[in-house]
Amino acid sequence: MDIDLADLGFWRRPLKERHEAFARLRELDRPVFFPERRVPLLRSGRGFYALVRHADVVEASRNPKIFSSEPAVTNPEPPGWVKHVFGESMVNMDDPRHARLRRIVSRAFSPRMLSNLQDDIDRVCAEIVDDVVAAGPVDFVDQVAARLPIHVICDMMGIPGDERASVHEHVDVSTAYTGVRPSLAQTARRGARNMLALLALQRLVIRLGRERAQAPGKDLVSALVTANVDGERLTDRELGSFFALLLVAGNETARNTMAHGIKLLTDNPEQRRLLTEDFDARIGGAIEEMVRHVSPIMQFRRTVTQDHDLRGLHLKAGDKVVLFYGSANRDETVFPDPDRFDITRDTKPHVGFGGPGPHFCLGANLARQEMRTMFRELLTRLPEIRSVGEPELLLSNFDNSVRRQAFTF
Ligand code: HEM
């Protein structure tokens, strides 16, 4: 077979070709094993089984005792010293450690907290459109999609205005390193810059945490450092790694969905008409369909803890499986005519926010709220808005990332 998901070359292929390759993998009787080559400076394993069908991704997600998120869900996993310096992120933990952290931080995502954010999200979306009108349309990513998610996370955390420019800069640097590593020199250079950026973010939030512990405000950092859930609170390092997780998990994902989303609405005028004719009734379905179609996070990994049979495949303790969300979301047995963008789909849930289980995206409702508000503002005030040409994609095996998307209105 000419498909090698462990080969970086695969991720350079155009999206359409990659979707075709996954369709061929889905037809096979059982998941295929892809051996991995050694990646300098990073820990790579022997290889992994690719879970490409919807049912397989769901099974692995809802059985964390067999499909563990430890030692890490990224592939290859970060070297041990990274965890040592930054502390561990809950996305890479199993219960009960994971449940403890999730319990503490999930208060930030309660319906009440999210509804408190709505006025702010409305204001930022209005400002973004004001600025686009004043400057004229050039790049949808830079002028629209990239602005909202990071603003919302900074607001939630109560990052002061004068610190925000440096947060933005550090986030840009730290996320530039996800995915593909073209050469040893670039691996080392980008890796070092990435680590320094993450360290700077961690230092900033730890300093804020200490200040807010003395003089708490209404923000999430104050809530996290003063809260006591079952006698527990976050340590400095846990606070730092949670902030990094929010910035990495909640920033690129929503931004890439919006950037691909404007192109999907442009390329599918009949779906756009359906949406604009009855925005309130249709926007929920439109957002789910965007997340399914785009699958902003393309893969996460699990490690098998005990012998287990999955669809005729005998897995052994220590084996790695990779959950390919983009492929599961195009599984034709669940989503008929899966390449079609159809905001009226009435099928099983997609797995764009992860499969059902303890790690299901904590920010899913926040992401939905951000995208609903942004598209409402755009489609109401700029009814002729549309993408122009093809997006410039970032080379990555992890984020379905758009670097640039020209547009007009
Ligand atoms: C379209 C936007 C988004 C997509 C597609 C997305 C996707 C995902 C996926 C696939 C996971 C599952 C990880 C796993 O199973 O191992 C996840 C987890 C997570 N997401 Fe999102 N995400 C989005 C937006 C956000 C936002 C806006 C935030 C917060 C600001 C956020 C915070 C998180 C956190 C904290 C986790 C870890 C949950 C845990 O381990 O318990 N996400 N996300």
Side-chain angles (χ1 to χ4, degrees), residues 234-273:
L234 291 188
T235 63
D236 275 0
R237 279 206 325 173
E238 285 170 345
L239 178 66
S241 63
F242 177 62
F243 185 42
L245 173 63
L246 278 193
L247 288 169
V248 175
N251 189 35
E252 290 265 314
T253 46
R255 146 188 166 164
N256 292 325
T257 312
M258 288 189 271
H260 284 288
I262 192 71
K263 168 116 173 96
L264 284 168
L265 290 176
T266 305
D267 292 350
N268 297 276
E270 72 302 341
Q271 296 296 311
R272 178 185 181 133
R273 200 175 50 251

Side-chain angles (χ1 to χ4, degrees), residues 24 130 135 163 173 181 244 252 254 268 281 353 370:
R24 283 167 53 206
D130 289 346
E163 309 267 16
V173 174
R181 293 149 288 276
E252 290 265 314
N268 297 276
F353 288 118
E370 289 175 6

Side-chain angles (χ1 to χ4, degrees), residues 83-349:
K83 285 189 179 180
H84 191 72
V85 175
F86 294 107
E88 289 187 63
S89 179
M90 72 174 178
V91 75
N92 296 323
M93 289 177 194
D94 293 331
D95 291 349
R97 290 198 308 156
H98 162 262
R100 171 188 162 264
L101 283 178
R102 184 152 170 144
R103 221 169 29 240
I104 301 176
V105 298
S106 59
R107 72 191 55 208
F109 299 89
S110 68
R112 195 164 61 88
M113 289 295 270
L114 294 189
S115 104
N116 288 345
L117 285 175
Q118 186 59 49
D119 284 351
D120 184 49
I121 298 178
D122 284 341
R123 186 178 47 74
V124 180
C125 289
E127 273 171 25
I128 290 173
V129 175
D130 289 346
D131 291 350
V132 162
V133 170
V138 182
D139 173 17
F140 186 84
V141 174
D142 184 47
Q143 291 176 278
V144 180
R147 285 185 57 186
L148 179 62
I150 190 158
H151 181 100
V152 172
I153 296 169
C154 285
D155 263 13
M156 284 173 88
M157 300 294 277
I159 305 296
D162 55 350
E163 309 267 16
R164 292 200 178 192
S166 91
V167 171
H168 287 216
E169 204 183 304
H170 291 315
V171 169
D172 279 349
V173 174
S174 65
T175 50
Y177 185 55
T178 48
V180 170
R181 293 149 288 276
S183 71
L184 178 57
Q186 281 188 355
T187 301
R189 210 170 34 244
R190 287 200 206 163
R193 289 183 65 207
N194 169 274
M195 293 302 155
L196 288 175
L198 282 173
L199 267 179
L201 289 169
Q202 193 182 37
R203 269 201 308 271
L204 164 72
V205 78
I206 289 175
R207 176 168 53 74
L208 286 182
R210 290 188 181 145
E211 287 167 17
R212 307 264 162 89
Q214 303 304 319
K218 289 197 169 131
D219 55 275
L220 177 60
V221 172
S222 300
L224 293 175
V225 293
T226 54
N228 220 324
V229 176
D230 298 338
E232 306 203 83
R233 64 185 72 199
L234 291 188
T235 63
D236 275 0
R237 279 206 325 173
E238 285 170 345
L239 178 66
S241 63
F242 177 62
F243 185 42
L245 173 63
L246 278 193
L247 288 169
V248 175
N251 189 35
E252 290 265 314
T253 46
R255 146 188 166 164
N256 292 325
T257 312
M258 288 189 271
H260 284 288
I262 192 71
K263 168 116 173 96
L264 284 168
L265 290 176
T266 305
D267 292 350
N268 297 276
E270 72 302 341
Q271 296 296 311
R272 178 185 181 133
R273 200 175 50 251
L274 276 180
L275 172 61
T276 48
E277 273 170 8
D278 194 352
F279 187 88
D280 288 336
R282 292 283 184 211
I283 186 64
I287 285 171
E288 296 315 308
E289 180 65 350
M290 282 179 195
V291 175
R292 180 195 75 82
H293 207 277
V294 173
S295 298
I297 293 186
M298 298 193 283
Q299 54 163 291
F300 266 137
R301 190 183 77 163
R302 297 291 190 263
T303 301
V304 178
T305 57
Q306 54 186 268
D307 288 12
H308 180 77
D309 286 320
L310 184 134
R311 197 156 53 86
L313 170 71
H314 185 64
L315 292 166
K316 291 193 284 305
D319 283 345
K320 312 284 182 199
V321 296
V322 174
L323 287 59
F324 286 97
Y325 297 118
S327 175
N329 279 339
R330 279 170 199 249
D331 185 331
E332 34 294 280
T333 64
V334 178
F335 308 103
D337 195 1
D339 292 334
R340 192 160 48 88
F341 176 67
D342 176 359
I343 68 173
T344 66
R345 273 184 200 277
D346 181 15
T347 49
K348 280 189 198 163

